[in-house]
Amino acid sequence: MTCYVVFKLIWTGLLGVLLSLVGLMVGMDMGVGTLLRWVGRNNEERREALNIIGPHWEGNQVWFVLGGGAVFAAFPTLYGTSFSVFYIVMILLLFSMILRPVAFDYRSKVNSATWRDWWDWAFFISGFVPMFIFGAAMGNVLEGVGYHFLWDGQYIQDENFLSYLFNPFAILCGLMSVALGIQGGGAILMIHGIQPIYGRARAAAVPAGIIAAILFVIGGFWVSRINGFHMINKVDMSMPANPLYGQEVGRGVGDLLLNFHHFPILWALPAMALFGMLGSSLMLRANKPLVAWWLGVFTWLGTIGTVGAALFPFLMPSTTAPNQSLSAWNATGSEYGLICMALVAAIFVPTIFCYTAWSYWVTRGKVTPKTVAEDSHSY
Amino acid sequence: MDLINPQVVDLSRFQFALTALYHFMFVPLTLGLTFMLAAIETVYVITGRKIYKEMTQFWGGIFGINFALGVATGLTMEFEFGTNWSMYSHFFGDMFGTPLAIEGLMAFFLEATFVGLMFFGWHRLSKGAHLAVTYLVALGSNLSALWILVANGGMNLPVGGYFDPTTMRLQIDSFADVVFNPDAQAKFVHTSVAGYVCAAMLIMGISAFYILRRRHMELALRSFRMATLFGLLGTCAVIALGDALGVEDYKHQPTKLAAMEGIWNTTHPPEEPWLLFALPDDAQQKNYLEIGIPYVLTPLVTHSFNTPILGMHQLEEMSGPKIRSGIVALSALKTYSETHSADALALFKAHENDLGYGFLAVQHAPNQDVSAITDADVDQVVKATEPDILPNVFVTFWSFRIMVFLGGYFLVFFAFAALFSLKYTLVKHRWFLRLAVLSIPLPVLATEFGWITAEGGRQPWTVFEKLPTFLSSSSHSVGYMIFSLVGFALLYSIFIVIELFLMFRTARLGPQDYHHETAQTENKKGAFGLNFLNGDR
């Protein structure tokens, strides 16, 4: 294996880890946003809920920003193609996501019930819609997307966005993602919240995990019935990063499970996901939200890992020109660029973990009406 | 090579300009305010006087309102490269994405994680620890600007990479060259210091408003003086570094420089005037109503007395051979991609430096295919392509002039401010205080025009001399573009109205009232009569 192949693999793995962290950290905040109107029945309760994630949501959101930046740098062609192919969906994602920072900062700046009510709906939209789209996009990628390339690297879209947006499998994946967000959001609300928020969060999060597990299993069976992709020829893993180079791709029902048949150890990934989802719900039920939150790590690594294992080596297969499917071998950045970024990541990711942990430690403890009122800067 | 619908390209450009200019209203303020907050808090930690804590918290509140929109709109910027500029992302992503990803890892995480603690840590952290957190936010936001401008610098001066004919894109081969890109370095300092001026003016303006009304005098006078210092030093640095940036443009982007200065014909130093006023006509390729100061242009731009500056007519003529060579390069590249023949590769290698000019000729080639250009047509295609190398001269000339004139105004303004506030006569000069209030938006305006100069002047390229704008965008339908554009325009308009409303309101309420207001549930009447928002009463 050449050095280039090793770094292609490292970045494909890191992409999976990054997407899992997006699910874990941003999903939790979005779950709180989705639940806000229900866990808090009046302004004081909603402010408590918001201030639970208040000190951290900006830092958490950077996982999302970094996810985008890392795809841009490590998989430039995938970045341009996937974001463009999902144009309308991505724009809707953006519209809903940019509501959140504004809602956080502006909600408590004016004392009016109508004003706050509007922002509370903004929280709902900016929690529900992005999580739904995040999951649905995963579903779309599993099914394959219609696009092809011209000789100079320009991509051409072959399908209409409606086929991505309103597609039963994608909707299933979207709902599962929302459910996981609610589970994570419920966990953090229970960790830092007091009654009545605690009880309401629990009432939502426990079933959310179970629903997610059910949808995950249904999705698993569904996947075995849909058309997947496989490599026909033995590909050169160190091929240049150009989708027009020497790849022969076939399609077949159940191909998405091929990797699992070849390497049964991969079944550990969906098992891990299910363990995370169900275990987390069980812990929430047993009033151990901190344990439940940490089980979310298994949930997300397992879920994204399952998607990755089903697709590998594809990153976004093409339905209309399967040979030009973007894969871990033909869609990466240059060897030099991948190495540079890996070095930078090796230094900064651990640093980020350290100071993120410190910032959570500083703001440990319960958020109560008293702490909210005391802090002039609280949301 | 399919030519993208020109309407879609224009709409993509318009959308990008709209969202970038909007984003850039908040970013300079963030850059400057974080450092000023850190400075004020330092005084608090050293002296222990409560007034400085109050100042930090009050200006911190103003910072928060801007920061939220900076974060929200920054996400749009990042996404748009993928959603609207797919060919650009493919072509330049390896070089552009790397600094962008590092920005996230090194800078944005720092800023975003600690900004939470900055707001929520007053009760939980020691004075020293909180000060450290504030400094980390300032460091994060400024490092963030550094990496973004390193990425942008690559678009203006693509160094540290090479074109790979097998992957059809620019690939990074020297990280150091990318980071120490002279254009990026000059631009980083110029831009971040411009941010300090924006923040200084905002603080001075709001303080002046209090002084005029004789409210919060202690806070206002102190803030005014600190901001004056920042503003004066900042303006001097902005002007000095702007000059350095001009020299970079002179060396590396002669078309941008010629358009900025309205130079149609190569200059004859030394008496060449610097144009104070002119109306450049892009269609006729000449200036009307020129008024200039003689002997200034040459030393200003070239830092010498007798070096001529290339004019746009001459630059057009000089591009002819490059376009001709670029056509060969692009045709050879196409042959190579289809046949992998060594001859085609060798031919491409001989002409690869001009590849970008070959792309530029695509829109004038028969069926947008340069390999279909016959020997008989080639002169005609080259002639048709030559004028394309120039940006819109009127826009570049005037956005540059407005920025420069505003810079000059700031210098005078801050000099007076320093004089009055050092002599403690500020309260007497009510006209000056009013001027300070009215000047709040001007530095932000200047940075906006700076962006237009830098990025508009880069046209017709997204990556200078490598990739033209009209080939960079995604091939969407016009309908998609209108949908997103209308959405952004609506959403951003609503945001700006609310933002301004909150800024005015927070400023009007002032520090004590401000805390009172957020902590209590009693409702003050909206500063701007926006009582319709208070539907619960």
Side-chain angles (χ1 to χ4, degrees), chain B residues 73-94:
Chain B
T73 54
L75 199 62
T76 309
M77 301 312 305
E78 184 191 5
F79 270 46
E80 272 181 332
F81 289 109
T83 52
N84 293 69
W85 302 96
S86 65
M87 184 63 182
Y88 168 83
S89 298
H90 157 77
F91 188 87
F92 202 53
D94 195 52

Side-chain angles (χ1 to χ4, degrees), chain B residues 203-230:
Chain B
I203 291 189
M204 287 169 79
I206 297 175
S207 300
F209 172 76
Y210 296 145
I211 300 171
L212 279 170
R213 302 236 168 156
R214 309 249 164 208
R215 288 167 55 200
H216 322 296
M217 287 295 272
E218 204 187 347
L219 175 135
L221 284 168
R222 274 168 218 278
S223 301
F224 195 97
R225 194 165 325 128
M226 288 190 84
T228 302
L229 191 69
F230 258 87

